[in-house]
Amino acid sequence: MVDRLTRMENDLDRRLEEKLTRLALKVIADAKRLAPIDEGDLETALDVGEVKQTIAGMYIDIGTSPEVDGYAVVQHEGFRKTKNGAIVEMTPGEKTRSKPSHGGYMPGKKFLENALKMNEDLILQELKSVLEGG
């Protein structure tokens, strides 16, 4: 009985890990299509981490590689603060404006947040399916 429960737990963990990874890759693919573009570094830097398990549950990190984190935050939020504290609003450049809309969103600020919003129903449905044994 204990062996069977352990196998069931391991199977559930494996299926959750696979599903989280696939969903995170989908979100990142959408985020790349929504990311502002200057030289393409931001799109290239968007990545998916490994699934981690804690006492509270399982999670996966998505975002950018550390070397572009500061730039990514400025681009995502659409503004930056100057040294003297002034707020400078970022506006999409020509290359970003030339990208088509995707999933009902225009490329530019909030690219990662919008990619998550686009996939929210899918994520909930897929995770529910795994937890229900599907």
Side-chain angles (χ1 to χ4, degrees), residues 34-89:
L34 293 173
I37 186 169
D38 183 18
E39 296 177 7
D41 295 343
L42 185 55
E43 289 178 357
T44 305
L46 285 165
D47 64 1
V48 173
E50 292 187 23
V51 174
K52 295 184 174 72
Q53 193 163 6
T54 66
I55 293 172
M58 213 179 262
Y59 69 95
I60 189 166
D61 287 325
I62 58 174
T64 57
S65 52
E67 58 272 1
V68 298
D69 278 349
Y71 175 75
V73 168
V74 167
Q75 291 300 317
H76 187 269
E77 296 307 315
F79 70 90
R80 66 180 175 84
K81 221 177 199 184
T82 63
K83 289 181 183 179
N84 65 3
I87 302 292
V88 177
E89 185 94 15

Side-chain angles (χ1 to χ4, degrees), residues 68-128:
V68 298
D69 278 349
Y71 175 75
V73 168
V74 167
Q75 291 300 317
H76 187 269
E77 296 307 315
F79 70 90
R80 66 180 175 84
K81 221 177 199 184
T82 63
K83 289 181 183 179
N84 65 3
I87 302 292
V88 177
E89 185 94 15
M90 308 293 284
T91 57
E94 184 179 332
K95 289 180 183 178
T96 300
R97 288 191 311 270
S98 72
K99 289 176 83 172
S101 67
H102 177 66
Y105 295 94
M106 291 303 296
K109 69 181 182 177
K110 303 294 185 185
F111 57 94
L112 190 54
E113 181 178 324
N114 290 336
L116 281 166
K117 284 179 187 176
M118 284 174 52
N119 289 286
E120 184 176 18
D121 289 340
L122 174 67
I123 292 167
L124 293 174
Q125 178 184 1
E126 294 286 325
L127 292 178
K128 179 181 175 187

Side-chain angles (χ1 to χ4, degrees), residues 22-35:
R22 268 198 308 274
L23 290 167
L25 289 169
K26 167 91 171 79
V27 169
I28 287 297
D30 290 334
K32 286 181 180 192
R33 293 185 66 184
L34 293 173

